[in-house]
Amino acid sequence: QLQLVESGGGLVQPGGSLRLSCAVSGFSIDYYAIGWFRQAPGKEREGVSCISSSGSSTNYADSVEGRFTISRDIAKNTVYLQMNSLKPEDTAVYYCAARPLRFRLCVPLDFGSWGQGTQVTVSS
């Protein structure tokens, strides 16, 4: 019943910005930690940013900290990833995922429900 749908990906020039959305249905994000992950061809899926079910705790990969911001809109049951100062190495398929109540580590194995992904390409 829990569903996650990503949107907002696309082609952007280096230094540009994108805002990804993760629309959650079936259950309130109040009860789930939500994570953003990405996977480039030939590379392992990695954690980008995670937010706790309360919204009080966030985590960012070193490679994106200071450039990306995760946020929530409870009324819309949606989690966002604002991506600024994008670099070519940010190019990947971006996924959102959910874990009941709490996350310990922002790693893929800790998250069981996944969206289908949205492509982000950073290129001039």
Side-chain angles (χ1 to χ4, degrees), residues 39-110:
Q39 187 166 21
K43 299 188 69 176
E44 293 183 351
R45 190 169 298 184
E46 63 177 352
V48 177
S49 181
C50 293
I51 188 166
S52 64
S53 58
S54 69
S56 63
S57 179
T58 59
N59 171 278
Y60 296 94
D62 289 344
S63 59
V64 308
E65 190 155 18
R67 300 188 296 121
F68 292 9
T69 303
I70 192 168
S71 62
R72 310 151 80 225
D73 187 329
I74 296 175
K76 295 182 178 179
N77 215 43
T78 298
V79 178
Y80 302 96
L81 184 69
Q82 178 67 46
M83 306 187 296
N84 298 326
S85 302
L86 284 162
K87 304 174 181 179
E89 50 263 45
D90 295 318
T91 296
V93 177
Y94 283 70
Y95 301 88
C96 64
R99 182 186 192 277
L101 297 178
R102 189 176 181 180
F103 76 94
R104 287 292 191 182
L105 298 173
C106 191
V107 297
L109 284 175
D110 278 5

